[in-house]
Amino acid sequence: QPDDRGLIGDVPVLRVTRRGPEAVHFVPAALEPGAEVLLSLDWERRFDHMQQHSGQHLISAIAEQMFGFKTTSWELGRQRSVIELDTPLVTAEQVEALEKSVNEKIRDRVPVTVRELAADDPEIETVRSRGLPDDHVGPVRVVDIKGIDSNLCCGTHVSNLSDLQVIKLLGVEKGKKNKTNLVFLAGNRVLKSIEQSHSTEKALTSLLKNGPGEHVEAVKRLQSSVKLLQKNNLNLLRDIAVLIARDFKSKPAPKQLFVLHRKEGDSEFMNIIANEIGTEETLLFLTVGDEKEAGLFLLAGPAEAVENLGPRVAELLGGKGAGKRGRFQGKAAKMSRRGEVQALLQEFISHQNPGA
């Protein structure tokens, strides 16, 4: 169970941990020894932990009684909690039956009590436990859910199952080593989850212009439309790439440097242009993506020139890349420096052709 939070006077408690029998509090400022202070507990956090922890005890006990599923570990998470059950399979029908049973116990208002036993008390052997810490000292704490469960535990708990309000089992996930993870919410977390789901539902109703029962079908139709549009867009980009290359090649005196940026392009778009133009004589610098931020680049041309210039182009663009056989491509973080790359390439060509 996570530790408590609160204030010592006006100093916040950042963390609490245990060292043997002592609770060690971490604070951001020194406290005056001997000073009288008011301790304030973050009750919302504490009560949430109480609900989840007592909920875990109840679920674990009923799961073992109904189906023989033993709990091997559990995690109290920030948004949801998980119980690891020693079984490779929990069916949907078993989850439904378990949820129904634990909520019946909550409605029965079963008391939850805490008692302490001496470490050598033989009764400890009859209490459900996963063992004590090696550095445990003093009496042993037992949490009893009347008529349902007795469990060794040092955590904080509600005094009656009715304080849990409700438990919702969210389903199961595959666990480690042939085990199953059971995901659950208890108490106020259920209410918060419903509120969040309702807000999402209202937003989707507004966006999709239909009722909640039609949301799934509406999203499926949108997904199909998007896939079709993406396919059409890719085909159009390929056609544009071919036309751009043919237009360049149709000019009476093709230039030795070809530079192009297109926001909507991709790697395939750039490579089609390079393939169509040919890179034996022409040096190509192609970029796609945001004009001033991140994107992709391709430098293509005579192998020796590309091998020499590729790393320098990547460095100027604040990116990384790799290349072979006259092509160097990668990701760029500073597309706004395309002009500097173009100047570098133009200078390189000028040195290669002094009389040009």
Side-chain angles (χ1 to χ4, degrees), residues 180-228:
T180 300
N181 294 331
L182 177 65
V183 185
F184 77 94
L185 303 174
N188 290 333
R189 291 195 183 190
V190 178
L191 300 179
K192 289 178 180 178
S193 178
I194 292 173
E195 177 60 31
Q196 185 178 32
S197 297
H198 182 60
S199 296
T200 301
E201 186 178 274
K202 286 172 63 178
L204 286 172
T205 297
S206 176
L207 290 169
L208 300 173
K209 309 299 181 186
N210 58 18
E214 300 171 300
H215 285 174
V216 173
E217 288 304 316
V219 171
K220 286 181 179 178
R221 289 195 297 271
L222 283 173
Q223 287 178 325
S224 297
S225 298
V226 169
K227 286 180 181 178
L228 180 60

Side-chain angles (χ1 to χ4, degrees), residues 300-332:
E304 186 177 345
V306 171
E307 184 179 352
N308 176 34
L309 293 166
R312 296 164 66 188
V313 169
E315 184 180 359
L316 275 174
L317 295 175
K320 294 181 179 180
K324 59 182 179 180
R325 301 193 195 97
R327 296 200 183 182
F328 191 99
Q329 55 191 331
K331 295 181 179 180

